[in-house]
Every structure is written in C-alpha cells, then in structure tokens.
C-alpha cells in the first residue's frame, strides 16, 4: 500500500470526457455535467453515448475478438494486463485526483484502497489466469484403447461491464481485469456520477497497446440511455453488473430476450453481531469502520448492529460518542468522512433519517445535515447517524439506505442473534465479533450471506468467492469464480 500523496489537479478540469470506441476517443452528441459532491460545482462535462455509439462499441468489440487479440496467448494477455497495472501506478496521483474529484471521498481512502486495488485487480487476475489448470478425464472404451477428455477455456465473447459510483475504479477493474485475461472484449459503462477514473483507464489501455476494440468505454445513464442500450444489445454475450438490486431486475429483463450470462453483485442490509465476550475496543473500532467507511456507501457496510445485552448500553454509548467525533470534510482536509455522492442521494438518505424518527427511533448521534459556513454547504454532506429503538419491521431496519447510518438493538441468545441477522431479503455480508472460536465459526456459518467476517470487516483476499445470496446477487466473482464466469469451458474428447 502506498502512503497518501498530495493530489495533482483533476486531469479533466473544464474538459469534455470522451468515450473510447474501437480505439478512437469520441466526443459527439449529447453531454452531461460532472458535478462535485463537495461543493456542487461542475468539474467537467461527459459525452453521453447514444444507442448508435453503443452499437459501434459492441461491433468494435466483436471485431476485436477476431483480430490480434483473439490470437494472443494467455501469457501475452496477462503480460499486457501487468502493464496496465504498472501504468496505473505510474499515473497514480492522476487516478487518485480523478476519484476524489468525482466522489469527494478522502484522499487517504482513495490512495490506500480504491486506486491500489484497481492496479491489484489486474495483477491478481493475471496471476490467476496463468495458474489456471484444465481438467482431464481419462476414460475406457470397448476397444481397449481409451480416450482422453480435456477442457479448454474460451472467451465468452463481448462482455458488458456496468459499475456503480461508490468504489468506481475498484469495482470497474474488478470485472474488466478478469474479463480481459480470459480473452474477452469489453464494453464498460461506469456510473454517470463517476466517469473520470474510467476515462483515465481508457487512456492507459491505449498507452500500453491493448488492441483497438478490446476495451471500449461508453459513458451515460442507465434507463433509456447508454446502460439500457448496452445490456439489451443482441451481440453482448455476458453482463457483469454491480449496483442496486432493483437495477439488477431491470437488467435481467433487458437481457432475457437474448439469454445473456449474468453476474450480479447487488445491495445489502448487512448485520454486525457483537457478543459480550468480544474484544470491546476491536469490536468498537471495527463497527465504526463497517458502518461509516466511505460515508456508509459500501455494499458491505453494516446497517444493523446487534449487541449482546450485557455489553449493549456500554457499546452503544461508545459507538455514538465515536460517531459524534467523526470529522466531515473535503478529500484533502484530513477528514474521516466525505460527502455522499450527490444531493439526490442525500435526499434519499435524509428521507430515511426522517422516517427513522417517524417509525419511533431515537437518534443517538447525527440525524441531520452539517453546516460549514462555506462552499461545502452546497455539497452533499450528511451527519453520521446512530438510531435505536426501532421495531424489526421498520422500513429503516429492512431497506438498504446506503448512507452513514445504523440501527442498534440488543439480543439475548445466540439463536436470537442469528435469527435477527438473517431476517432480511438481502444476503451480502455479516460481521461477527466474539472471542469464542467455536461460536465464531458456528455463527458465521449460519449467516445467510456470501461473506462473513469474524473479528474484522472488508478484509479481502482476491482469490476468495465474492457475492451475495437472496436480493444481494447472482453468482460469485473472485478468484476461480471470475475466471469461470468470463470463460466458456469446452470439452475435447480424443479417441486414442
Ligand atoms: P445503480 O444500480 O443505480 O447503478 C449502477 C450502474 O447501473 C450505473 O452505471 C447505472 O448507470 C447503471 N444502470 C442503472 N439502470 C440501468 C439499466 N436499466 N440498464 C443498464 N444499466 C443501468 O447503483 P448505484 O446507485 O450506482 O450504486 C449503489 C448500489 O450498488 C447499492 O445498492 C449498493 O449496495 C450496490 N453495490 C453492490 C456491490 C456488491 O458488490 N454487491 C458493490 C457496490 C455497490
Ligand atoms: O472487494 C471487492 O472485490 C468488492 N467487490 C467490493 C465491493 C464493495 C461494495 O461496495
């Protein structure tokens, strides 16, 4: 991990961000503003790809499958992806600057998580693709000579990668890297809120010599715009999507007529279970992080905190006090939390703050909008908030809010804790805090989620399966799971 470095100026200041189609940067048609959530100012404009430009991107991606890219060995593709990682690191400060300008997130987080993970994603999948083995089954035949069956892995074709705004570069590269090492071509659409790090990635792809059409970038919105045109395009073979569960449903409908392969990483309403035997300080620091990281805008963030009754009052008082100490501010101000992504998202989160009060909740910290007395008042800042006293049926306990808020409630038995944690339509992540090893495993295993952490949160090994159950997703990515999704296995049977 690199230490935070001072930001260089935003690389696209005052410019229009282009799309990248077939190796050509394209500025055409409609554009939309890129707005800073720190102060509401427009930082750049962005080319919106219409259906015709999306079609050109998909056709360029199809053609590239048959071009030089399709003839590269896996070693050659992986070498190129390592160059992408190196170039991201060479342009590290520009990537950090792009990411913090679009999101307002802290310089510290962008420098230690978002951008390093982008580079790491390319290296990790290059390693994994090179190490991938093929199955081989030796079989007997009536003539006694036998046969060998072995698997070859082919690309699936043109992959649409659709990413959200919360960890823009981390999540886009998390799908682009495995798609490319497996030999596919990609049409990527970042969120309309966060186009800049993807625009830099397009430059990097060109700089390191990725052949034209292999990586295409289209900017724009979702419904009735770029996203919908992409996911309904008949020549797109597979869709790797991260975003809201409701958007996943809409994409499924668009993809259904041409029966595309889907990998979905969707929303969460994640629980933390804190047992009375947990290391108090570790559980407190870990829960503070799991609730408020990235201003609560991580799909893995905890929105429901359940604490065993003997520790409940002490833990909740300490959590509320710590939340009140969190410093809000712009990316380079040494703050703990930046703003939410936009005013529109803040309106949504604030509507849940109001609802929490209406539903009978007591605000232990936050609950409103901070006042700075400067241009940040035109941004999308919101107070970190802790609520107690809501019934489990409350909408604030059941619906994903995706902001810096959690509800805290006590539990009395392990069985009750497990039941409460699993009583949700989502199933992404859980955190279990206890010093009892047997209980740690038993409770973690009982969680109906794709990922459970014991005594930590968001500790990532990129070889492990990542994804969710129920409304939180379809399939798994990570390690061999990503390679499987982005490859078409084919059996060759050789009669000996
Ligand atoms: P979103 O679903 O609104 O948008 C995600 C992307 O989908 C954007 O690029 C958007 O333009 C595009 N899109 C929207 N409608 C579309 C349509 N009909 N067709 C094609 N594309 C469309 O999500 P968001 O608000 O950007 O991100 C926040 C959500 O993402 C939260 O629900 C969060 O939990 C979830 N998320 C999940 C994970 C995970 O790994 N499970 C990771 C990050 C975020
Ligand atoms: O760490 C990852 O690989 C990953 N996909 C994280 C997702 C975070 C959600 O906001």
């Amino acid at each position: 991990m690199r230490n935070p470095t001072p930001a260089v100026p935003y690389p696209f200041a005052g410019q229009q961000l282009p799309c990248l189609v077939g190796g050509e940067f394209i500025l055409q048609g409609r554009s939309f503003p890129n707005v800073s959530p720190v102060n509401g100012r427009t930082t750049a404009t962005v080319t919106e790809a219409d259906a015709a430009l999306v079609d050109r991107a998909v056709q360029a991606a199809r053609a590239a499958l048959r071009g030089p890219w399709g003839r590269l060995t896996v070693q050659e593709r992986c070498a190129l992806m390592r160059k992408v990682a190196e170039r991201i690191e060479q342009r590290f400060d520009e990537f950090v600057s792009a990411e913090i300008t679009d999101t307002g997130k802290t310089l510290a987080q962008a420098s230690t998580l978002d951008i390093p993970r982008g580079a790491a994603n390319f290296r990790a999948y290059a390693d994994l693709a090179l190490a991938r083995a093929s199955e081989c089954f030796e079989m007997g035949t009536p003539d006694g000579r036998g046969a060998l069956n072995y698997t070859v892995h082919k690309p699936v074709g043109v992959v649409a990668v659709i990413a959200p705004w919360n960890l823009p570069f981390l999540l886009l590269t998390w799908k682009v890297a495995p798609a490319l090492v497996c030999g596919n071509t990609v049409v990527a659409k970042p969120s309309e809120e966060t186009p800049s790090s993807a625009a830099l990635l397009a430059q990097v792809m060109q700089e390191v010599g990725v052949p034209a059409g292999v990586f295409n970038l289209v900017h724009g919105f979702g419904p009735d715009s770029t996203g919908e045109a992409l996911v309904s395009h008949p020549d797109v073979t597979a869709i790797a999507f991260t975003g809201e569960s409701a958007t996943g449903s809409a994409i499924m409908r668009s993809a259904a007529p041409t029966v595309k392969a889907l990998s979905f990483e969707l929303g969460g309403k994640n629980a933390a279970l804190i047992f009375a035997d947990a290391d108090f300080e570790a559980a407190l620091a870990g829960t503070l992080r799991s609730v408020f990281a990235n201003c609560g805008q991580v799909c893995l963030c905890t929105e429901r905190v359940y604490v065993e009754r003997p520790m409940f009052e002490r833990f909740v008082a300490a959590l509320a006090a710590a939340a009140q100490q969190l410093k809000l501010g712009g990316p380079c101000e040494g703050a703990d939390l930046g703003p939410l992504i936009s005013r529109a998202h803040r309106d949504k989160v604030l509507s849940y703050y109001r609802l929490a009060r209406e539903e009978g909740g007591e605000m232990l910290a936050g609950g409103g909008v901070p006042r700075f007395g400067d241009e940040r008042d035109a941004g999308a800042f919101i107070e970190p908030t802790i609520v107690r006293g809501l019934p489990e049926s409350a909408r604030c306990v059941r619906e994903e809010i995706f902001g810096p808020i959690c509800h805290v409630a006590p539990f009395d038995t392990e069985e009750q804790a497990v039941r409460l944690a699993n009583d949700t339509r989502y199933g992404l992540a859980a955190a279990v805090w206890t010093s009892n090893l047997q209980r740690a495993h038993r409770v973690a295993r009982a969680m109906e989620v794709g990922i459970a952490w014991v005594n930590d949160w968001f500790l990532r090994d990129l070889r492990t399966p990542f994804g969710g159950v129920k409304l939180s997703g379809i399939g798994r990515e990570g390690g061999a799971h990503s390679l499987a999704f982005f490859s078409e296995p084919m059996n060759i049977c050789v009669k000996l």
Side-chain angles (χ1 to χ4, degrees), residues 54-91:
V54 169
D55 180 54
R56 270 176 66 188
V58 174
Q59 297 315 332
R62 268 187 89 190
L65 284 168
R66 299 186 296 269
W69 180 248
R71 292 189 290 277
L72 291 188
T73 63
V74 63
Q75 287 83 357
E76 289 166 328
R77 287 197 302 269
C78 290
L80 207 46
M81 292 305 112
R82 287 185 203 289
K83 285 191 185 163
V84 172
E86 277 163 28
R87 192 68 188 132
I88 292 167
E89 284 163 353
Q90 285 160 3
R91 299 186 65 183

Side-chain angles (χ1 to χ4, degrees), residues 164-459:
W165 45 256
N166 62 323
L167 301 172
F169 193 57
L170 187 161
L171 290 170
L172 188 83
T173 53
W174 173 242
K175 296 173 190 308
V176 168
L180 292 181
V181 295
C182 292
N184 302 284
T185 56
V186 165
V187 181
K189 195 200 85 62
S191 168
E192 55 275 26
E193 306 279 5
T194 52
S196 303
S197 52
L200 284 179
L201 181 65
Q203 293 179 0
V204 163
M205 293 283 177
Q206 298 286 92
E207 286 164 359
V208 303
V210 172
V214 171
F215 176 81
N216 304 274
L217 178 67
V218 290
H219 295 291
F221 301 84
D224 303 318
S225 176
T226 319
E228 190 173 333
L230 182 57
V231 295
S232 52
H233 197 294
D235 292 326
V236 166
T237 330
I239 301 172
F241 167 73
T242 302
E244 279 191 27
S245 304
T247 310
S249 303
I251 291 178
M252 270 181 120
R253 285 192 290 276
S254 298
T258 45
V259 198
K260 302 181 193 311
L262 301 175
S263 178
F264 281 178
E265 296 182 339
L266 307 177
K269 188 72 185 177
N270 310 305
L273 299 183
I274 297 145
F275 288 87
D277 63 8
D279 175 329
F280 185 88
E281 295 304 330
L284 181 64
T287 305
L288 194 70
R289 193 165 76 88
S290 75
V291 173
F292 296 118
N294 206 43
C295 203
Q297 302 168 118
V298 180
C299 59
L300 308 161
C301 272
T302 303
E303 293 193 5
R304 298 179 296 140
V305 177
Y306 298 104
V307 189
E308 200 170 2
R309 201 174 296 276
M311 196 196 262
F312 180 73
E313 293 299 340
R314 181 175 163 229
F315 189 87
V316 165
L319 190 66
Q324 277 157 349
Q325 294 301 313
L326 292 172
K327 187 169 168 253
L328 304 183
C332 303
E333 296 168 15
D336 300 301
L337 262 63
L340 292 173
I341 190 65
S342 64
R343 278 285 177 115
H345 188 50
R346 188 174 75 174
D347 288 346
K348 177 187 156 185
V349 176
L350 279 174
S351 76
Y352 279 101
Y353 285 14
R354 277 193 299 277
L355 186 63
R357 290 189 175 94
E358 288 161 20
E359 289 181 316
E362 179 193 350
M363 297 283 174
L364 301 179
V369 166
R371 295 283 165 229
F372 296 96
D374 57 34
E375 65 168 12
R376 291 173 294 180
D377 289 337
F381 291 90
I382 193 165
E383 289 173 349
T385 295
I386 301 200
V387 187
R388 73 182 284 179
L390 289 171
E392 287 296 310
S393 59
R395 281 181 54 203
C396 288
V397 181
R398 308 208 72 77
E399 298 174 11
E400 184 188 47
I401 301 173
F402 218 56
I405 177 170
C406 71
H407 179 245
V408 289
F411 68 84
D412 291 301
T413 63
E414 184 180 310
E415 294 67 31
Q416 185 196 12
V418 169
R419 186 174 46 72
L420 288 167
N422 288 337
D423 183 17
T424 167
R425 298 173 70 211
Y426 291 96
L428 188 56
V432 180
W433 297 88
T434 176
S435 56
N436 176 330
L437 182 59
Q438 260 115 35
R439 173 153 59 202
H441 176 71
R442 193 168 57 233
V443 173
R445 202 175 186 303
M447 294 293 97
E448 294 168 1
V449 295
I451 311 134
W453 280 282
V454 174
N455 298 332
D456 212 323
W457 177 76
F458 205 176
L459 181 62

Side-chain angles (χ1 to χ4, degrees), residues 104-129:
K105 66 178 66 190
T106 65
L107 176 67
Q109 186 196 307
S111 308
T112 56
L113 173 67
D114 297 69
I115 305 307
R117 253 302 295 278
N121 286 338
F122 284 100
R123 287 216 176 83
Y125 283 111
D127 290 347
L128 286 158

